[in-house]
Amino acid sequence: MDDCVFCRILAGDIPSTSVYEDDRIYAFRDIDPKAPTHILVIPRRHLASLNEVTPGDRDLLGHMMTTATAIAVDEGLAPRGYRLVINCGADGGQAVDHLHLHLLGGRALGWPPG
Ligand code: 5GP
Ligand code: ZN
């Protein structure tokens, strides 16, 4: 996907700060952090959003989430807590059309979201 910013990050065309990677997923620091710790976990396979997810992606999504929780521990976020978010579509506030899980922590986060 030449026009997908996260595919371009995966290809190494756009630099990013790596946090974790394996054969299925990549985690990197958000370029415009909304909290002291803001990390994105993405699948290497281009999926535009949660709207494209099928039951066959269950393991992938579970892997993204359990990796994010492990990163949260590594980043020292677990004792005070943190938030995992996937925005979907226009109403969900999704700006980049490549599925991504946000890990946010390091400050008290408001609720409900805007
Ligand atoms: P969304 O609003 O789609 O859920 O979140 C997209 C996120 O991607 C935003 O938090 C934004 O700061 C981040 N982002 C957009 N472009 C880049 C980029 O080129 N590099 C990095 N590291 N993050 C990006
Ligand atoms: Zn992509």
Side-chain angles (χ1 to χ4, degrees), residues 1 4-8 10 44-47 97-98:
M1 295 286 289
C4 171
V5 64
F6 288 174
C7 281
R8 293 185 63 202
L10 287 165
R44 290 193 181 278
R45 177 163 61 97
H46 180 90
L47 283 165
D97 290 335
H98 181 128

Side-chain angles (χ1 to χ4, degrees), residues 20-79:
Y20 172 84
E21 64 181 311
D22 64 27
D23 59 331
R24 286 184 288 169
I25 63 174
Y26 180 54
F28 58 104
R29 298 197 186 274
D30 197 290
I31 201 169
D32 180 20
K34 315 302 187 293
T37 299
H38 188 174
I39 291 164
L40 303 172
V41 181
I42 67 173
R44 290 193 181 278
R45 177 163 61 97
H46 180 90
L47 283 165
S49 78
L50 284 176
N51 284 333
E52 289 193 355
V53 166
T54 70
D57 298 313
R58 193 173 288 147
D59 282 355
L60 175 65
L61 289 174
H63 184 46
M64 289 169 62
M65 185 157 286
T66 54
T67 299
T69 61
I71 294 170
V73 170
D74 288 346
E75 296 279 323
L77 300 176

